[in-house]
Amino acid sequence: MAGGPRLRFLAIALLFHFVYIYSIFDIYFVSPVVSGMRLFHVERPAQTKAPADRLVLFIGDGLRADKAFQSHPEPYPQSDEDTTPRPLAPFLRSKVLEQGTFGVSHTHVPTESRPGHVALIAGLYEDVSAVTTGWKMNPVNFDSLFNRSRHTWSWGSPDILPMFEQGAVPGRVDAFAYGHELEDFSQDALVLDYWVFDHVKELFAEARTNKTLHDALKEDKVVFFLHLLGLDTTGHSYRPYSKEYLNNIKVVDQGVREITEVIESFYGDDRTAFVFTADHGMSDWGSHGDGHPDNTRTPLITWGSGVAKPQLYPGEVAPGHDDYSLDWNLNHVRRHDVQQADVAALMAYLVGVEFPVNSVGELPLPFLAADPAEKAEASLVNAQTILEQYRVKEEKKKATELRYRPYRALSDNDQTPDHRVAAIRQLINAGNYEEAIEELAALIKIGLGGLRYLQTYDWLFLRALITIGYLGWITYALTTVVDLHVLHGRLQPSRTLGGSLAFSSIFAALCASFIISKSPVTYYAYAIFPVVFWEEVYARRASLAEGRKQLFGHVASGGSLASLLFNSAVYVGIIESLALGYIHREVLTALFIMGAFWPAVHGLSFLQEHASLSATWFVSCIAMSAFTLLPPAMKSEDITLIVLGGALMVVVGVLYLIFEDFVLADFSWSAKSSPRNNHLSRALVGAQIGLIILAMVVTRSSALSLQAKQGLPWGNQVTGWVVLVLSLLMPLAYRLQPNNHYMHRMLVIFLTCAPTFVILTISYEGLFYLAFSSILVSWVRLEHVVQAFSSATTAEEAPAVSNGSTSKSEAETRLPAPFRPLTLQDARVALFFFVLLQSAFFSTGNVASVSSFSLESVSRLIPIFDPFSQGAMLILKLMIPFALISANLGILNRRLGVAPSALFMIVMAISDILTLYFFWVVKDEGSWLEIGSTISHFVIASLLCIFVAALEGVSAMFIAGVQVDESVAEAIGNGTAAELLLEKANEALEKIPAIAQD
């Protein structure tokens, strides 16, 4: 394949998938933030105060609801009595039982700190893309409770506080944040919470001698925000069921008690409202981000001025409870669940400020200590805030649509928002408060439905456009494969004036509609790809027709057609089964067990001739099948398995040094490789083995130190980084004495990545690395011998040339290039590669969940919390199996004699069958687990195609200059491809006269 078309295809693949991944944000996660709305608040007589003069908000970052309310033994018992389970948050529990209202706050995906805090404090569910466009600061300006307050004092993480300080009226929010150096995963995270509690106490202590501060604190409509990050950090490091996490709950509870006493002592007026909740939960393996219930269910406890007292049901189960809360021993207290955004509306009401203009929360009336009239007025303000957003959004949509379709429930003459609000106002004025509350609850639902209608207005069109784009890409990719690697570019594109005008007109019409509707620039990108792809397919229709003859020309009977259809159904079925594997990893187990018997398909003679290779393949498949039956590797750290994996990597390197001649002779005792002066090369292999041993030692030492909460020794951190960098640079040293045998190159790549895998593993991932490497090597060798065996069998079984046209065609296909044309058999190779690609993702965990990552291993190199640096290290670990598979596929390309990018291009085409499936099953309704999972599945499936495109370049780098046994590959590597091409051409030309005579 020429370099130009090859690079152009890869560039188009990368650009297309990056653009189309973003489509999910334009469809499902358009920012809900608009501006220009009027403000609403509960109007009261001048002498009537709000329910509370001030509000204190405690957010226990990463606190799960069940852990907050369950009973556990003392985390650090001092006596036998301490082993008896008891509530670890007795102060907060006392508020639930005696003074306040409690429930579970259900968060939305992604369950991360930024969107959780935005929902709690601003009352809106920020679109997912906002997490990537700005963490500390606001990518969009949204209103918040803090901005509505007279003044807000906040303490906590430097990753959270600035976004609310910067987004508010200048000077309205004071943010006191500790330095990033305190967010150290190697140290006890309790220091983060102690810092917050101590600084709050210092503020009130200073107010006793600072009149300006004292007067400011005594104002009404003030808010105090305490962000407690210790639980989140401890959960990441030790898991939420650990004694460290449970002890952190005790520390938080004691700190909340002390702050409550300080505030009540300072004011002494019982006019303070308190809210305790969390931004998100924590999975059992110490992570969050997806929609798992452990991540979406957080505690909500409110008490103080304006808050309703608990509703008790002695001797019976109170309403609101389910199986989740049965072991909380709170069954007699009514549980009131809310959505996370509802908390912002609750706090705005309590402290007497305007509801944040972007809030979509529903005011939870059971939490209010108010009479029906007050509740009706508050609900009316809640409804007006939501309807005002609908009004502004509808006006904007009308201005950009040629034929706007209004939301029916709010568009009829007597059903407009103004008519509905006026009717409810009459009910309130007439004293029909309960009826008004019911009507307002219904109106709020209708208003939220209207907002959703406007949010999803363009969905049908965009989904259809994206689908046509993906289908166009799949067809274009397959057309390119046929043209370049089956026909070797013999046929040129055929364009007609009518066809060009038709496709140009379609694109012009789409652009015109986008201009009129003032659509984002991304819409133009979504439109141009399907037009370009389908136009290219139409121009290469002759190539498709000729390719069909060459690939399917052998299908001449009903039996062969039935066989083709059956194999095609199995092929598509395996691809679709991988979709199920995103949810159930056991699917990969079944595929590996089936694949273990693949050599047997070629008959007994093949098994006898290649018994050892077939046995190695069988054992490797069975070993790989075991990993997807194990629990995810990120659940708990196991130093023994880490060391065992590293030790086996060392054994592989040592065995290679002992049996190098045997390995380089293609595992044959009878055909040993020629003697060579390779002392330096062997020494470098020994150095790589030494780096693995050093990685094992430093990883074990670091893990033990972190487990003992003694921090990460500076020497260990430096050594870890040195080993990591040196190991990745070692391949450069082999240039001093090159050894281009493909088996030697594969070993060098294996040893290069091994120390990194040891340092970044927390459990059995090292064993997976070994099994995965073994199956890749076996696969490369097995595919080669299968091709040789099949060719020999075909040659023996084929009768004398009797069909002149067929033989002539075969002779012609050998003329254009030194690479053999692709056949239907190569589709199986691509499918094997695709399955192995999936197993690289899912064998050690369900990374289809964005929360399936552990920071334990990363803290051995980066102990201070830094989401981007630590995320980069996790990505490096994930990429290592892809580096291995790309190198092996590149070598397999050469051994099979096909063009370097041929198999990669097939995989890029078929992989988007999976992507398109996941695109259509994305959910934005139902449980948050379903919503989050379907989003993750689509993104990962899309990224896999990008990985494949990128891996084609990685493969070329890894196998540059590598030598295999086949004459074609050797000719390419030695720069004698032209001579070989001439030789093959002459051979083919000599056969043509004889064929013609027949």
Side-chain angles (χ1 to χ4, degrees), residues 86 137 271 292 312 353 391 494 659 676 697 706 730:
R86 79 283 305 278
M137 302 302 174
R271 294 282 300 158
H292 191 280
L312 304 178
V353 299
R391 180 188 66 81
S494 175
F659 300 103
R676 64 191 75 186
V697 173
L706 291 171
M730 280 298 294

Side-chain angles (χ1 to χ4, degrees), residues 51 306-308 349 365 367-375:
V307 178
Y349 164 79
L365 298 181
F367 283 75
L368 311 186
D371 56 33
E374 177 79 359
K375 290 183 178 180

Side-chain angles (χ1 to χ4, degrees), residues 764-783:
Y764 59 76
E765 301 103 300
L767 300 177
F768 159 76
Y769 182 73
L770 285 161
F772 190 64
S773 301
S774 173
I775 199 172
L776 288 177
V777 174
S778 302
W779 176 54
V780 169
R781 298 185 63 230
L782 197 56
E783 286 285 4

Side-chain angles (χ1 to χ4, degrees), residues 21 28 39 103 119 309 383 396 516 615 725 738-739 792 918 949 954 986 998:
I21 282 178
Y28 298 101
L39 292 169
K309 301 299 182 184
K396 290 185 176 181
I516 294 172
V725 174
N739 184 343
F918 284 129
V954 173
N986 290 332
D998 292 341

Side-chain angles (χ1 to χ4, degrees), residues 230-309:
L231 284 162
D232 185 71
T233 306
T234 302
H236 285 313
S237 300
Y238 301 102
R239 312 293 188 268
Y241 49 77
S242 65
K243 60 183 179 182
E244 290 83 4
Y245 187 88
L246 298 177
N247 184 59
N248 208 144
I249 294 177
K250 290 186 60 179
V251 171
V252 167
D253 181 72
Q254 180 61 29
V256 171
R257 175 198 294 269
E258 294 174 2
I259 296 303
T260 301
E261 293 173 350
V262 167
I263 291 176
E264 290 180 341
S265 174
F266 181 83
Y267 290 104
D269 57 3
D270 292 329
R271 294 282 300 158
T272 306
F274 298 88
V275 176
F276 180 91
T277 187
D279 54 346
H280 56 74
M282 181 79 65
S283 68
D284 280 341
W285 48 91
S287 54
H288 52 82
D290 65 6
H292 191 280
D294 285 340
N295 295 330
T296 60
R297 292 186 293 211
T298 61
L300 175 62
I301 305 171
T302 61
W303 71 96
S305 183
V307 178
K309 301 299 182 184

Side-chain angles (χ1 to χ4, degrees), residues 166-386:
Q166 298 295 326
V169 175
R172 183 162 293 180
V173 179
D174 287 341
F176 304 96
Y178 40 72
H180 281 285
E181 65 278 1
L182 283 187
E183 298 179 10
D184 190 340
F185 281 82
S186 66
Q187 301 291 339
D188 198 328
L190 296 177
V191 65
L192 302 176
D193 296 340
Y194 285 137
W195 188 98
V196 172
F197 294 137
D198 290 343
H199 281 71
V200 175
K201 295 173 186 176
E202 290 175 5
L203 178 81
F204 283 96
E206 181 185 352
R208 298 188 182 277
T209 58
N210 184 329
K211 187 178 185 304
T212 302
L213 177 60
H214 180 276
D215 293 343
L217 292 175
K218 288 290 187 177
E219 294 277 3
D220 63 352
K221 300 181 181 180
V222 297
V223 176
F224 304 99
F225 169 42
L226 285 72
H227 175 238
L228 307 172
L229 186 61
L231 284 162
D232 185 71
T233 306
T234 302
H236 285 313
S237 300
Y238 301 102
R239 312 293 188 268
Y241 49 77
S242 65
K243 60 183 179 182
E244 290 83 4
Y245 187 88
L246 298 177
N247 184 59
N248 208 144
I249 294 177
K250 290 186 60 179
V251 171
V252 167
D253 181 72
Q254 180 61 29
V256 171
R257 175 198 294 269
E258 294 174 2
I259 296 303
T260 301
E261 293 173 350
V262 167
I263 291 176
E264 290 180 341
S265 174
F266 181 83
Y267 290 104
D269 57 3
D270 292 329
R271 294 282 300 158
T272 306
F274 298 88
V275 176
F276 180 91
T277 187
D279 54 346
H280 56 74
M282 181 79 65
S283 68
D284 280 341
W285 48 91
S287 54
H288 52 82
D290 65 6
H292 191 280
D294 285 340
N295 295 330
T296 60
R297 292 186 293 211
T298 61
L300 175 62
I301 305 171
T302 61
W303 71 96
S305 183
V307 178
K309 301 299 182 184
Q311 298 180 31
L312 304 178
Y313 293 75
E316 58 180 301
V317 177
H321 286 281
D322 52 22
D323 292 341
Y324 180 63
S325 57
L326 286 180
D327 62 347
W328 298 355
N329 294 321
L330 293 172
N331 292 346
H332 63 292
V333 183
R334 184 164 187 173
R335 170 183 151 190
H336 299 278
D337 287 11
V338 302
Q339 297 297 313
Q340 194 172 50
D342 300 346
V343 179
L346 172 62
M347 294 190 296
Y349 164 79
L350 289 174
V351 80
V353 299
E354 299 92 345
F355 283 36
V357 295
N358 301 118
S359 174
V360 294
E362 300 178 52
L363 181 64
L365 298 181
F367 283 75
L368 311 186
D371 56 33
E374 177 79 359
K375 290 183 178 180
E377 291 288 353
S379 293
L380 179 59
V381 170
N382 190 189
Q384 288 175 309
T385 302
I386 293 172

Side-chain angles (χ1 to χ4, degrees), residues 636-926:
S636 59
E637 189 175 51
D638 192 321
I639 296 177
T640 302
L641 288 178
I642 296 173
V643 174
L644 177 60
L648 291 177
M649 296 175 198
V650 171
V651 169
V652 170
V654 172
L655 288 176
Y656 174 82
L657 290 177
I658 297 174
F659 300 103
E660 181 177 14
D661 290 341
F662 170 70
V663 172
L664 298 186
D666 202 20
F667 296 89
S668 171
W669 294 108
S670 58
K672 290 189 176 181
S673 60
S674 58
R676 64 191 75 186
N677 181 21
N678 61 349
H679 300 300
L680 179 58
S681 177
R682 290 172 61 83
L684 291 174
V685 171
Q688 288 189 290
I689 296 173
L691 287 174
I692 298 175
I693 297 174
L694 185 56
M696 292 165 53
V697 173
V698 72
T699 298
R700 182 179 183 277
S701 174
S702 298
L704 291 174
S705 179
L706 291 171
Q707 288 179 3
K709 292 191 285 189
Q710 296 176 353
L712 178 64
W714 183 80
N716 285 26
Q717 185 178 9
V718 172
T719 305
W721 277 106
V722 169
V723 170
L724 180 72
V725 174
L726 277 181
S727 64
L728 297 178
L729 294 177
M730 280 298 294
L732 299 177
Y734 283 91
R735 295 184 177 181
L736 299 174
Q737 190 178 73
N739 184 343
N740 292 329
H741 193 283
Y742 79 94
M743 284 302 301
H744 179 80
R745 184 68 58 85
M746 291 164 72
L747 176 90
V748 170
I749 295 172
F750 170 82
L751 296 178
T752 296
C753 301
T756 303
F757 224 76
V758 170
I759 293 173
L760 296 179
T761 188
I762 69 167
S763 184
Y764 59 76
E765 301 103 300
L767 300 177
F768 159 76
Y769 182 73
L770 285 161
F772 190 64
S773 301
S774 173
I775 199 172
L776 288 177
V777 174
S778 302
W779 176 54
V780 169
R781 298 185 63 230
L782 197 56
E783 286 285 4
H784 172 244
V785 298
V786 164
Q787 177 182 265
F789 181 82
S790 300
S791 300
T793 303
T794 303
E796 292 174 0
E797 295 178 353
V801 177
S802 60
N803 187 330
S805 61
T806 302
S807 299
K808 183 176 181 179
S809 176
E810 290 176 356
E812 288 174 348
T813 59
R814 296 178 184 174
L815 295 178
F819 306 112
R820 70 166 177 82
L822 292 176
T823 66
L824 286 181
Q825 296 297 322
D826 294 311
R828 186 206 65 247
V829 181
L831 181 63
F832 272 50
F833 172 71
F834 191 50
V835 172
L836 289 169
L837 199 69
Q838 301 289 327
S839 69
F841 260 71
F842 294 104
S843 290
T844 59
N846 177 23
V847 298
S849 162
V850 295
S851 72
S852 295
F853 301 101
S854 171
L855 295 179
E856 279 185 343
S857 59
V858 180
S859 62
R860 300 168 194 158
L861 296 174
I862 308 174
I864 305 299
F865 178 69
D866 185 340
F868 297 106
S869 299
Q870 292 176 328
M873 298 307 298
L874 289 173
I875 291 174
L876 173 63
K877 176 184 174 182
L878 288 175
M879 291 299 101
I880 287 176
F882 291 103
L884 291 180
I885 196 172
S886 67
N888 280 270
L889 184 63
I891 290 172
L892 182 59
N893 268 322
R894 294 198 173 191
R895 299 206 78 189
L896 297 181
V898 299
S901 60
L903 297 178
F904 282 102
M905 292 174 68
I906 297 176
V907 174
M908 276 188 274
I910 65 175
S911 66
D912 275 326
I913 297 175
L914 210 57
T915 306
L916 190 56
Y917 167 80
F918 284 129
F919 175 78
W920 274 100
V921 300
V922 167
K923 295 184 178 180
D924 68 317
E925 295 179 325

